[in-house]
Amino acid sequence: MLNQAELCNQKFWDEIATVHLKSYQSVKTLQDGGIALREIELMELGEVTGKTLLHLQCHIGTDSLSWARQGAIVTGIDFSAQSIACANQLKQELQLPATFLQSSVYDLRTTLQGQFDVVYTSKGVLCWLKDLDEWAAIIAHFLKPQGVFYLMESHPICNIFDDLKKGDLSIIYPYFHTADPIFWENNAPDYDDKTYFPKNPSFEWVWSISDILNALLKAGLSLEFFNEYDKLFWKRFPDMVENDDGWCHLPQYVGKLPLIFTLRARKGFK
Ligand SMILES: C[S@@+](CC[C@H](N)C(=O)[O-])C[C@H]1O[C@@H](n2cnc3c(N)ncnc32)[C@H](O)[C@@H]1O
């Protein structure tokens, strides 16, 4: 059952799903016959043709449908009904095979059957999760023996800085987990459609790198690699510059500050 903070987040994501269906560049990329995935994900996850892939927190399905276009047999799940409706609309329009299911990550053991070759999740997912140990246990549950989990996410160190301030970064938020989530009034524009101001507030949980790694290790997964990069998949800070390749950089911190991390973990040992 969803708690108050999650119910609030569900309303928030239901509100902006249709906004994103219109604004996401990745929708246009898919409509033009391309894929929305980053080269790092493609290279690090490896060949997916013919593999079953479970995409957690798939939002409007742009990454799920991209993996389907790469040949994976995809199931995307998200707790926002509007996100799943948009994903199904896009699937129909693009005539790509995928299964979309409305479910909280935490309910999946009862809402979804089977095991998968790959569990994938990426780009703005961990801050919405109330319990990382349970999240990791659910990932392990849905992986076949030798199956791989892949994650690309913004680096937790980014979460400590004031993301409205120009110039030198200044620390205003905690790096370490706090029991209560942070409440966001959301008086700022949407992260993708800068002309849209969400009406619903949201709650976000803070997780450190050690929380993430320890949760996966505790669930019995073996870490195959952990990488950090000084570029980000969205324009998070006012001074960020977006390159032609779609990656955003902080010019004064290039080579000094990690902005994303990726990891791959396996169920069992290789
Ligand atoms: C930032 S979006 C993910 C973005 C996605 N990677 C993309 O590029 O479109 C976060 C998603 O997590 C979903 N979400 C948040 N909490 C969830 C939960 N407990 N279970 C399932 N989905 C959840 C939201 O509905 C939203 O679609």
Side-chain angles (χ1 to χ4, degrees):
M1 201 161 52
L2 301 181
N3 67 26
Q4 284 305 314
E6 291 172 301
L7 284 168
C8 184
N9 288 344
Q10 195 179 37
K11 270 192 185 170
F12 168 77
W13 285 106
D14 276 344
E15 180 193 344
I16 55 173
T18 46
V19 174
H20 290 167
L21 188 62
K22 292 198 196 94
S23 72
Y24 263 27
Q25 175 56 43
S26 53
V27 170
K28 294 164 191 88
T29 303
L30 279 161
Q31 287 166 336
D32 290 344
I35 55 166
L37 301 162
R38 303 290 173 139
E39 74 290 352
I40 294 175
E41 304 174 274
L42 291 167
M43 199 185 64
E44 292 186 341
L45 179 51
E47 184 57 56
V48 295
T49 307
K51 292 189 178 163
T52 50
L53 183 150
L54 172 61
H55 181 185
L56 303 179
Q57 296 173 254
C58 67
H59 196 35
I60 60 171
T62 48
D63 288 342
S64 326
L65 293 168
S66 299
W67 287 118
R69 196 164 260 170
Q70 290 296 100
I73 302 154
V74 174
T75 302
I77 76 95
D78 198 286
F79 78 168
S80 151
Q82 287 303 324
S83 294
I84 292 298
C86 291
N88 276 320
Q89 189 182 320
L90 207 50
K91 164 188 148 170
Q92 290 300 328
E93 181 193 331
L94 299 168
Q95 289 292 296
L96 284 167
T99 303
F100 290 107
L101 170 73
Q102 186 203 348
S103 173
S104 167
V105 167
Y106 297 109
D107 292 335
L108 272 184
R109 281 198 189 91
T110 50
T111 55
L112 182 67
Q113 301 290 312
Q115 285 191 313
F116 296 80
D117 297 308
V118 177
V119 175
Y120 163 86
T121 192
S122 76
K123 295 174 271 188
V125 285
L126 298 182
C127 63
W128 307 105
L129 299 177
K130 62 182 171 191
D131 182 340
L132 276 201
D133 287 348
E134 177 61 4
W135 164 79
I138 287 165
I139 291 166
H141 171 89
F142 282 102
L143 280 175
K144 289 181 186 171
Q146 292 297 308
V148 294
F149 170 60
Y150 182 81
L151 168 66
M152 171 191 275
E153 183 57 296
S154 59
H155 201 292
I157 201 73
C158 293
N159 299 338
I160 70 174
F161 301 116
D162 184 345
D163 46 7
L164 300 176
K165 181 178 172 284
K166 284 177 162 276
D168 289 348
L169 290 172
S170 112
I171 299 174
I172 59 166
Y173 298 113
Y175 175 76
F176 294 104
H177 180 69
T178 51
D180 292 327
I182 297 180
F183 176 69
W184 294 97
E185 200 94 51
N186 282 340
N187 38 21
D190 175 61
Y191 66 84
D192 192 66
D193 181 346
K194 301 289 181 203
T195 66
Y196 186 82
F197 286 72
K199 293 167 199 66
N200 285 292
S202 59
F203 290 88
E204 292 185 24
W205 283 269
V206 173
W207 299 108
S208 67
I209 286 289
S210 51
D211 293 329
I212 301 161
L213 294 180
N214 286 330
L216 294 169
L217 296 174
K218 236 188 277 179
L221 300 185
S222 318
L223 187 65
E224 294 196 323
F225 59 72
F226 172 84
N227 293 322
E228 296 167 288
Y229 300 88
D230 59 0
K231 52 190 182 180
L232 191 57
F233 40 81
W234 66 293
K235 198 166 180 293
R236 179 173 191 151
F237 299 103
D239 285 344
M240 275 195 140
V241 175
E242 184 168 351
N243 286 7
D244 292 343
D245 60 5
W247 285 105
C248 298
H249 300 259
L250 261 177
Q252 69 271 44
Y253 292 100
V254 169
K256 294 180 180 167
L257 184 71
L259 298 176
I260 61 163
F261 73 93
T262 61
L263 64 82
R264 197 174 71 193
R266 190 174 291 271
K267 184 167 171 178
F269 298 96
K270 204 163 188 183

